Amino acid sequence: GAGVSQSPSNKVTEKGKDVELRCDPISGHTALYWYRQSLGQGLEFLIYFQGNSAPDKSGLPSDRFSAERTGGSVSTLTIQRTQQEDSAVYLCASSLTSGTAGEQFFGPGTRLTVL
Amino acid sequence: ELKVEQNPLFLSMQEGKNYTIYCNYSTTSDRLYWYRQDPGKSLESLFVLLSNGAVKQEGRLMASLDTKARLSTLHITAAVHDLSATYFCAVRGITSGTYKYIFGTGTRLKVLA
């Protein structure tokens, strides 16, 4: 079946602009995660959705970052007033939840460059 | 707080050699995962380890889990160039009733022909 998809694959924006990143998880996966990966670094957790609710927003680096998930499926990560330090690859992952192995399946990522 | 440490961070090895990557974590976890990431690509799931003593093997890679020591290892046997990639371990913890996945910093493996 189809895997996790993300769009756009690349986004170049100017400092101060808002951007929206989209994630389409695997059908039936109720858990959805956003991560950020800076060049040559590990994964930084941003936010976790279970269904449409976000029980863990602890990783969002500032109030410029927000995310929502509708219909228990597609999620959008919004970054307002982008800064150069926001430049990174944003990865989305989905998984089944309790009672399963909890294996995460990752999308291809969105590479964000803030000029 | 759940923390995950991997070592080494960088590993350069000759083809045909064996080596082990270590993943230590700080508190109780019920799941441990290994992922592979090729340059410019996303993460690919390699192994899911669910219980103490679990061992899984795929080709030249073998992963094991010791929950008492809070340690997982990824052993590479007779390395080949195609194994060059960055390898991440991750653990799943439960905080306030929600799941959280914490990733190690990754081990960048380069296999020299």
Side-chain angles (χ1 to χ4, degrees):
Chain A
V4 178
S5 61
Q6 290 185 247
S7 62
S9 55
N10 281 286
K11 177 71 177 179
V12 180
T13 190
E14 293 179 347
K15 178 181 174 182
K17 300 284 189 183
D18 297 351
V19 295
E20 283 190 354
L21 312 180
R22 176 188 167 111
C23 173
D24 209 331
I26 292 173
S27 177
H29 280 192
T30 56
L32 186 148
Y33 302 80
W34 283 98
Y35 296 91
R36 180 167 71 174
Q37 186 177 33
S38 300
L39 187 63
Q41 302 297 312
L43 273 70
E44 175 189 3
F45 167 79
L46 297 178
I47 189 169
Y48 154 59
F49 287 93
Q50 179 60 43
N52 288 339
S53 65
D56 192 349
K57 304 180 182 179
S58 63
L60 294 177
S62 77
D63 58 8
R64 295 186 296 105
F65 288 72
S66 63
E68 64 175 13
R69 188 180 185 193
T70 55
S73 183
V74 172
S75 176
T76 303
L77 177 69
T78 301
I79 308 173
Q80 296 178 308
R81 305 179 304 280
T82 52
Q83 303 294 313
Q84 288 183 333
E85 60 262 29
D86 299 335
S87 295
V89 175
Y90 288 81
L91 293 166
C92 171
S94 70
S95 73
L96 296 170
T97 51
S98 59
T100 72
E103 185 179 8
Q104 291 186 309
F105 295 85
F106 282 82
T110 294
R111 183 176 299 275
L112 175 65
T113 303
V114 182
L115 301 177
Chain B
E1 183 185 355
L2 183 55
K3 293 184 179 179
V4 180
E5 292 186 352
Q6 276 182 248
N7 69 83
L9 298 182
F10 298 96
L11 177 57
S12 180
M13 56 191 298
Q14 296 288 332
E15 276 193 330
K17 298 293 186 182
N18 304 333
Y19 208 84
T20 300
I21 299 171
Y22 298 88
C23 174
N24 290 88
Y25 54 99
S26 60
T27 62
T28 302
S29 172
D30 68 340
R31 303 280 192 274
L32 190 132
Y33 310 87
W34 284 96
Y35 292 90
R36 168 182 173 145
Q37 185 177 38
D38 291 292
K41 304 290 186 182
S42 191
L43 278 75
E44 172 193 354
S45 178
L46 294 175
F47 301 109
V48 180
L49 302 171
L50 303 179
S51 61
N52 187 43
V55 177
K56 290 197 173 180
Q57 183 163 4
E58 180 71 35
R60 301 174 188 274
L61 300 178
M62 183 174 72
S64 65
L65 177 62
D66 181 342
T67 58
K68 294 180 181 179
R70 295 177 185 161
L71 170 69
S72 179
T73 60
L74 181 66
H75 187 72
I76 303 156
T77 301
V80 293
H81 180 70
D82 286 350
L83 290 179
S84 297
T86 299
Y87 293 86
F88 291 95
C89 67
V91 297
R92 188 176 84 165
I94 302 175
T95 304
S96 302
T98 65
Y99 292 114
K100 195 165 187 174
Y101 294 77
I102 305 299
F103 283 76
T105 49
T107 295
R108 191 174 300 177
L109 171 66
K110 186 172 184 180
V111 180
L112 305 173

